[in-house]
Amino acid sequence: MQQSLVETGTHLGDTLADVAYDKSLQAVSIELADNYYHAAQRRFANYANVQILHGDSGKLMPQVVAKLQEPTLFWLDGHYSGGVTAKGDLETPVSGELGAILVSPVRGHVILIDDVRCFDGSLDYPYLDDFLAVIRAEGRYHLEVSTDILRMTPKQFPERG
């Protein structure tokens, strides 16, 4: 089974650096800010298992998810943070990112969403309770909020063939 990581918000690339050395792991990271994107391109140029995409993760996630053939670990942390970070159409594309993942025909994804303290209905963030209600209604994930991270783990892992 191919192991994959998809992250949004490459920033300095430290998360990728922790996984890039493992050649059995395929990693895709989406970064909107030009400066962070170009720095990550340079930093990971010699890693064939790492792909850096440039653009709005809310718009690119459907394309990324469509290519997946196995359950994947998602780290969703692409949002505007002021300073030299970039802002797309929204302060945070998290709702679009998650929507693309939830319609994937591949079952068994694990999804980690950072900065849930920001889910207060302002700056394009959903209200946390409303966001969780949508996920619960979908019915496939156990949810846990701890240390500012929403952890979504599948209720049932897919059978291996």
Side-chain angles (χ1 to χ4, degrees), residues 17-30:
D18 287 339
V19 299
Y21 70 90
D22 183 348
K23 304 299 185 212
S24 70
L25 178 68
Q26 295 297 308
V28 174
S29 187
I30 305 170

Side-chain angles (χ1 to χ4, degrees), residues 144-161:
E144 177 188 1
V145 176
S146 177
T147 62
D148 205 25
I149 298 169
L150 169 59
R151 293 170 185 83
M152 298 174 56
T153 53
K155 288 184 177 179
Q156 236 178 25
F157 283 93
E159 293 184 27
R160 295 182 185 187

Side-chain angles (χ1 to χ4, degrees), residues 1-4 24-25 69-72 157-161:
M1 178 187 295
Q2 176 70 49
Q3 294 182 335
S4 300
S24 70
L25 178 68
Q69 297 178 2
E70 299 285 344
T72 296
F157 283 93
E159 293 184 27
R160 295 182 185 187

Side-chain angles (χ1 to χ4, degrees), residues 62 64-71 99-109 140-141 158:
V64 171
V65 171
K67 294 178 183 175
L68 299 175
Q69 297 178 2
E70 299 285 344
I101 297 165
L102 292 178
V103 299
S104 170
V106 176
R107 299 297 187 225
H109 298 307
R140 289 186 287 144
Y141 286 93

Side-chain angles (χ1 to χ4, degrees), residues 38-55:
H38 292 297
Q41 283 285 85
R42 287 188 301 275
R43 184 174 183 182
F44 298 103
N46 295 323
Y47 291 88
N49 61 320
V50 174
Q51 179 182 17
I52 312 295
L53 300 178
H54 191 203

Side-chain angles (χ1 to χ4, degrees), residues 98 102 131-141 143 150 152:
L98 184 62
L102 292 178
F131 193 73
L132 296 176
V134 169
I135 299 165
R136 284 187 184 109
E138 198 271 340
R140 289 186 287 144
Y141 286 93
L143 305 176
L150 169 59
M152 298 174 56

